[in-house]
Amino acid sequence: MVRGRAPSRRRSRGIWAGRRLLLCGALLVSACADDDGGERRRALGDRPTLEAAMRVADSRRGGRLFGRCAACHTIGPGAGDRNGPNLFAVMNKPMASNSPRYGYTAALRALGGTWTPEAMDRWLADPMTVAPGTRMRFEGLADPLDRADVIAYLHSQSAGTASTR
C-alpha cells in the first residue's frame, strides 16, 4: 500500500468477503457441534414418553435452551426476579412458592401441586393452557426432548448441584 492512499475497493471487498466466509464457517461448525438430538431422538422412537426423554436428557443443552427463559427468569442462589421469578431450585417445590418476593398470579397459585418433571413438562409445553390467566407469555416448547433437556437443567440448578450462570 502506498503511503497516504486508501486501500483499493477491490482489496477491501476481498477482506470483507473473507471475513464473511470465516463467520459462515464458524457458524456452520458451531451448528454441527451443537447437539440437535438426532441420535437421542432416534433412540426415543415415534412417541416418546417423558420418562424415556428424561433418560436421554442433556442438562448442558437444556442450559443453552434456558437462554430463551433468561429473558424473564434468573437462575441462581439469591438472584433477583425479573418479569418471572428466580428459578433456582424450583424442581420438587410447591408451585407458586419458589421466590417469596415474586407476585405469582392467582391462576398459578390455584394450580397447587409440586413442580415435578411431569408438571414442568406440561407447563413448558403450553403454560397458558395449564394456567389460563397466567402472565407468562411463552408459546411453549413443542419438542418433548427440548422440554426434557430444560427439566434436566432445572434439576441441575439446585442447592448442592448448581453451577451458577
Side-chain angles (χ1 to χ4, degrees):
M1 180 167 122
V2 177
R3 191 175 178 126
R5 284 182 46 189
S8 73
R9 252 195 139 106
R10 185 177 194 174
R11 185 171 177 214
S12 178
R13 281 190 207 141
I15 290 170
W16 285 110
R19 287 182 181 164
R20 272 187 243 134
L21 182 61
L22 189 61
L23 178 61
C24 288
L27 290 173
L28 182 61
V29 167
S30 70
C32 291
D34 188 20
D35 173 27
D36 69 353
E39 193 172 307
R40 295 183 302 140
R41 284 178 213 292
R42 283 189 292 283
L44 291 176
D46 294 337
R47 304 188 76 163
T49 63
L50 176 61
E51 184 180 338
M54 289 305 297
R55 277 195 303 270
V56 298
D58 180 345
S59 65
R60 288 182 310 184
R61 183 170 179 273
R64 289 190 301 272
L65 290 168
F66 186 84
R68 294 172 61 187
C69 310
C72 297
H73 295 279
T74 57
I75 189 157
D81 301 321
R82 292 184 181 156
N83 287 341
N86 177 359
L87 296 178
F88 180 75
V90 71
M91 295 304 297
N92 299 313
K93 284 206 177 152
M95 291 183 185
S97 70
N98 198 52
S99 176
R101 302 172 302 261
Y102 187 74
Y104 294 94
T105 60
L108 189 58
R109 288 192 314 267
L111 277 179
T114 303
W115 284 120
T116 62
E118 295 78 16
M120 188 62 75
D121 182 59
R122 287 188 301 274
W123 178 259
L124 290 173
D126 190 354
M128 290 176 269
T129 298
V130 172
T134 182
R135 286 189 305 258
M136 186 163 155
R137 298 293 176 240
F138 174 64
E139 71 278 359
L141 295 172
D143 185 338
L145 192 53
D146 287 351
R147 294 193 305 268
D149 289 345
V150 170
I151 293 167
Y153 174 69
L154 291 172
H155 264 294
S156 76
Q157 297 300 303
S158 51
T161 62
S163 57
T164 55
R165 297 174 35 125

